[in-house]
């Protein structure tokens, strides 16, 4: 009886060890996939010129995720001025609504970005979303160019200020 229970015990332990091994392999694979996914996501977040952050008005959780998504974009790009449009989709499903229009507008105010409630099914405001995003991108580009000009102007005036006393000195020596 002892020998039998001992062998059962061994079998159980060895199956458990096998299970652990399998679990470890699965876990490692899952972690690898996740790391790869994160790298890919960061890559497109860095490369993207503009973003449509969409949630479903019928799904409060997706609304909360919208904020996380904005933070993620901020973390990856290290700047707040990224062209973004906030979209609450499936606006036709009024009877399933979990997020009010006002909440969407409020979040857009926080993001300082345009906001639309769309319906892919009824094609409500779909084109407007893309037009608004393109406008945001153009505006952002213009600001970047202006910012660059300002910077060169500033460095120019910095140089003239640096050189100014030297010039005066040269002039007074002559
Ligand atoms: N009523 C309605 N259904 C939609 C709309 N957009 C997508 N769907 C439906 O929702 C289902 C899933 O679509 P998907 O684009 O994957 O959205 P997700 O399920 O919210 O990720 C499909 O059956 C679509 O036909 C919409 O604007 N209105
Ligand atoms: C609607 O929003 C949900 C949540 O963000 C998203 O998963 C889904 O793809 C969107 N559907 C459409 C048609 O934009």
């Amino acid at each position: 009886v002892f020998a039998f229970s001992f062998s059962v015990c061994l079998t159980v332990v060895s199956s458990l060890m096998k299970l652990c091994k399998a679990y470890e392999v699965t876990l490692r694979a899952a972690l690898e996939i996740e790391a790869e996914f994160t790298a890919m996501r960061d890559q497109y977040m860095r490369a993207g010129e503009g973003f449509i952050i969409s949630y479903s008005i019928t799904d409060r959780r997706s609304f909360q995720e919208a904020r996380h998504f904005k933070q993620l974009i901020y973390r990856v790009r290290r700047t707040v001025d990224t062209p973004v449009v906030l979209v609450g989709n499936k606006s036709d499903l009024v009877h399933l609504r979990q997020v009010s229009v006002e909440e969407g507008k409020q979040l857009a105010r926080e993001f300082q970005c345009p906001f639309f409630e769309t319906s892919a099914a009824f094609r409500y405001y779909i084109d407007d979303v893309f037009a608004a995003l393109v406008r945001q991108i153009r505006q952002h580009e213009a600001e970047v160019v202006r910012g660059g000009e300002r910077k060169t102007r500033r460095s120019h005036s910095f140089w003239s200020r640096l050189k100014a006393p030297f010039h005066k000195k040269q002039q007074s020596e002559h």
Side-chain angles (χ1 to χ4, degrees):
V1 168
F2 177 75
F4 178 72
S5 35
F6 186 69
S7 112
V8 166
C9 204
L10 271 184
T11 314
V12 167
V13 166
S14 105
S15 325
L16 273 177
M17 278 169 72
K18 266 185 210 145
L19 206 67
C20 279
K21 198 96 195 148
Y23 179 68
E24 194 202 327
V25 170
T26 314
L27 192 67
R28 191 170 308 139
L31 285 176
E32 263 167 34
I33 289 167
E34 199 201 344
E36 210 159 294
F37 177 77
T38 303
M40 236 160 64
R41 189 198 58 201
D42 286 8
Q43 180 65 25
Y44 88 68
M45 278 194 174
R46 254 192 296 275
E49 285 180 84
F51 299 86
I52 294 171
I53 300 180
S54 87
Y55 61 90
S56 171
I57 66 154
T58 63
D59 179 5
R60 179 154 289 280
R61 217 194 49 219
S62 74
F63 183 64
Q64 281 146 6
E65 277 165 9
R67 186 176 265 117
H68 290 155
F69 216 64
K70 182 73 162 55
Q71 280 164 355
L72 202 58
I73 293 172
Y74 170 67
R75 267 216 304 277
V76 170
R77 296 169 72 95
R78 296 163 205 276
T79 170
V80 282
D81 54 342
T82 294
V84 161
V85 174
L86 181 67
V87 171
N89 70 27
K90 303 189 184 174
S91 63
D92 56 296
L93 299 176
V94 274
H95 54 292
L96 296 175
R97 184 187 277 279
Q98 290 181 0
V99 184
S100 73
V101 182
E102 202 35 63
E103 285 174 288
K105 281 185 184 163
Q106 179 53 42
L107 190 59
R109 266 196 293 275
E110 229 175 88
F111 291 175
Q112 296 186 9
C113 76
F115 169 67
F116 298 92
E117 278 202 350
T118 64
S119 166
F122 288 76
R123 298 212 115 268
Y124 288 157
Y125 293 104
I126 304 292
D127 297 344
D128 307 69
V129 168
F130 287 97
L133 184 64
V134 170
R135 213 171 300 126
Q136 291 289 102
I137 292 171
R138 293 263 159 80
Q139 237 167 35
H140 180 254
E141 274 171 0
E143 271 159 28
V144 167
V145 168
R146 265 205 304 282
E149 273 172 7
R150 233 197 330 275
K151 226 180 254 165
T152 50
R153 254 210 312 279
R154 191 157 50 230
S155 73
H156 181 78
S157 70
F158 174 71
W159 268 113
S160 17
R161 253 183 314 186
L162 236 176
K163 286 187 297 192
F166 183 65
H167 272 301
K168 261 183 220 144
K169 208 169 160 200
Q170 267 187 333
Q171 276 160 7
S172 62
E173 267 172 9
H174 284 293

